[in-house]
Amino acid sequence: MTNAVKRIGVLTSGGDAPGMNAAIRAVVRSAIYRGIDCVGIRRGFNGLINGDFVRLDENSVNHIINRGGTMLYTARSEEFRTVDGQQRAAATCKLLGLDGIVGIGGDGTFRGLKEFSKQGISVVGVPATIDNDIVCTDYTIGYDTAANTAVEAIDRLRDTMQSHERCSVVEVMGRNAGHLALYVGLAAGATSVLVPEKKLDFEHDVIDCIRGARLSGKTHYMIIVAEGAGSAIEIGKQIHETIGLDPRVTILGHIQRGGTPTARDRVMATRMGYHAVKVLAEGGTNRLICSQQGSMVDIDLEEGLAMKKGLNAQQYEVLQAMTGLEIEGL
Ligand code: F6P
């Protein structure tokens, strides 16, 4: 195989997500397969600015497919938002002889890549965030593991809530999006799921659901709150003030970001990493790797970032049937 691309860099940026290591491994192995040298950039875009790198050969990515976190560390770089930071990063690429960069992360990472491409470096983004909020792709690396971690924790909570006949309010991550909370709520059999995409009607979305559950014979209740929909602590207080229950509040927090990636995350990360290198090797730039209806495709980075993603309407419809919530307003 011959190609003009001789050396590429790979970095992880933004919040870590289980499966990032599998994606790094796939990038390195796919590059070597194509005769391309691969350099790991550490600590996100800060590493590009500071020349913080590590040579990556086939062996350096042994035994990481099963590990959470990212072997390259990650960061959110304020400096990279500036033209000066981007120019310094471009100088690092020039010095190291990097023809392209694979950036693994979320929308902040992709905005950084888009700006950086103006420096004449080829860039490809690989979506990895537990939030699954990247519009153009059906899937982001880390989502499945985070959902399973949350569901496992909630199953444990359910045991104690059932024994005490209590109400539990659980806050699930997701930043401004409710995809993770909705999915987790469906899997955990929640009494109600509050998402930022739907304006909160407390009486209808919480109290009516608890009341309906009680009338159907239940004596414990599980309210899932997406972090972007409001504070679980406040929701718990409001439940207490309105109907006198004494809810226990659990904020799952960063637990959801760690742990061994599921098979789904490993396979998606491997396929996405492979596709990213293929795109760069074939001369592509400013591309975002997306999973669309089971196929791996790449689309223009700017176009991808401009799209708007709503909640999965079918999933919400099913939730409505399970909890009595109405679908209107989505
Ligand atoms: O984007 C991933 C995410 O875990 C969000 O769900 C959450 O809002 C945010 O990152 C937390 O960021 P940090 O790790 O900086 O606290």
Side-chain angles (χ1 to χ4, degrees), residues 14-16 76 107 128-131 133 172-176 180 227 253-254 256-257:
D16 65 321
R76 295 187 173 99
D107 53 358
T129 162
I130 66 164
D131 304 340
D133 60 347
V172 171
M173 272 189 170
R175 203 180 288 278
N176 303 316
L180 186 61
E227 65 173 332
H254 290 80
Q256 294 157 103
R257 289 239 297 260

Side-chain angles (χ1 to χ4, degrees), residues 78-122:
E78 283 304 317
E79 208 178 342
F80 195 73
R81 290 172 200 263
T82 66
V83 175
D84 180 56
Q86 290 156 22
Q87 283 171 346
R88 286 179 59 199
T92 302
C93 289
K94 213 169 174 187
L95 180 65
L96 300 179
L98 299 181
D99 304 307
I101 295 290
V102 177
I104 303 166
D107 53 358
T109 307
F110 303 147
R111 275 192 291 275
L113 288 175
K114 184 169 81 77
E115 286 309 307
F116 191 49
S117 69
K118 293 178 186 160
Q119 301 293 328
I121 312 290
S122 299

Side-chain angles (χ1 to χ4, degrees), residues 208-260:
D208 285 355
C209 288
I210 294 176
R211 192 168 285 138
R214 181 68 195 101
L215 285 169
S216 74
K218 295 199 178 100
T219 57
H220 66 280
Y221 320 98
M222 182 65 66
I223 312 298
I224 309 274
V225 184
E227 65 173 332
S231 151
I233 295 173
E234 288 309 315
I235 298 289
K237 273 191 202 151
Q238 250 181 296
I239 292 172
H240 180 67
E241 282 158 16
T242 315
I243 48 176
L245 296 179
D246 186 17
R248 294 295 185 268
V249 177
T250 306
I251 297 172
L252 293 180
H254 290 80
I255 294 240
Q256 294 157 103
R257 289 239 297 260
T260 303

